[in-house]
Amino acid sequence: MIRIIDIRERPDLQKAAVDYFWQRWGSDSNRNFYRDCIERSCDTQCDVPRFYLALEDDQIIGAYALLRSDLNSRQDLFPWFACLFVEPEHRGKRIGALLQDHAIVQARQKGYERLYLCTDLTHYYEKTNWSYIGKGYSISDDETRIYEYKVGVPSDDTYTDGK
């Protein structure tokens, strides 16, 4: 069974989470960036940043993050769905879609109406109802695609607690 957890729930996995995100998205020169960001996410009362792990029998098989900013040129947009990764041997099992669904629920629960992501991929996020909204640029002037997901925020009268 696959469980998705906020690393705040499992302090024993914090170092493994840092290594996981850094090894998939980082470079030789930025491990401290990932460590600091993940450690601060565990210390803050703010709703973002948050880092999530997909676990199967306590083995990390995927991850994602919710961030305040993932694209420097678009400080007007937030929060960002970022760092989605599913281990190659677990791809094709809809785990990426499961992680996206989890992020959408988290964003909705935090009161956000929209969620954003930037990527070079085409035809992947469209399959899960993300809408391409334009181009953006990284600090190094690389062009990237920006997508939006309309989360919608449930009103008090539509909330149910499972009863």
Side-chain angles (χ1 to χ4, degrees):
M1 181 174 90
I2 297 170
R3 292 179 302 122
I4 301 172
I5 61 150
D6 181 333
I7 65 164
R8 294 163 61 107
E9 299 168 20
R10 293 282 308 268
D12 59 307
L13 291 177
Q14 191 177 66
K15 183 184 179 319
V18 169
D19 290 342
Y20 190 85
F21 279 91
W22 172 65
Q23 289 169 359
R24 273 111 192 123
W25 295 104
S27 66
D28 289 341
S29 63
N30 68 0
R31 186 179 188 288
N32 285 331
F33 168 84
Y34 283 90
R35 181 192 47 76
D36 193 44
C37 193
I38 290 172
E39 285 176 0
R40 298 296 71 78
S41 79
C42 293
D43 294 340
T44 186
Q45 294 304 310
C46 295
D47 57 357
V48 289
R50 290 289 185 266
F51 292 83
Y52 300 88
L53 299 174
L55 302 174
E56 187 173 60
D57 299 324
D58 273 350
Q59 176 186 353
I60 302 171
I61 62 168
Y64 79 90
L66 290 178
L67 304 175
R68 186 167 313 282
S69 177
D70 194 36
L71 187 60
N72 291 333
S73 72
R74 293 305 305 264
Q75 296 292 308
D76 57 313
L77 305 176
F78 69 91
W80 290 83
F81 174 75
C83 303
L84 175 66
F85 193 88
V86 175
E87 290 301 313
E89 63 271 21
H90 292 279
R91 293 179 186 166
K93 301 176 184 176
R94 298 202 34 82
I95 296 169
L98 179 69
L99 290 165
Q100 290 174 59
D101 289 346
H102 187 271
I104 290 161
V105 168
Q106 293 299 307
R108 183 178 299 124
Q109 288 175 347
K110 294 174 189 326
Y112 294 104
E113 295 180 14
R114 290 176 170 74
L115 191 56
Y116 300 92
L117 67 83
C118 59
T119 185
D120 294 331
L121 294 177
T122 55
H123 309 298
Y124 178 74
Y125 289 101
E126 292 89 345
K127 294 176 192 174
T128 50
N129 298 315
W130 290 82
S131 300
Y132 172 74
I133 61 169
K135 297 175 184 174
Y137 299 89
S138 71
I139 194 82
S140 60
D141 216 26
D142 295 325
E143 186 177 279
T144 188
R145 299 172 60 83
I146 302 172
Y147 287 83
E148 173 185 75
Y149 191 97
K150 293 182 180 170
V151 172
V153 178
S155 64
D156 290 339
D157 60 345
T158 61
Y159 176 77
T160 63
D161 61 3
K163 293 181 183 176

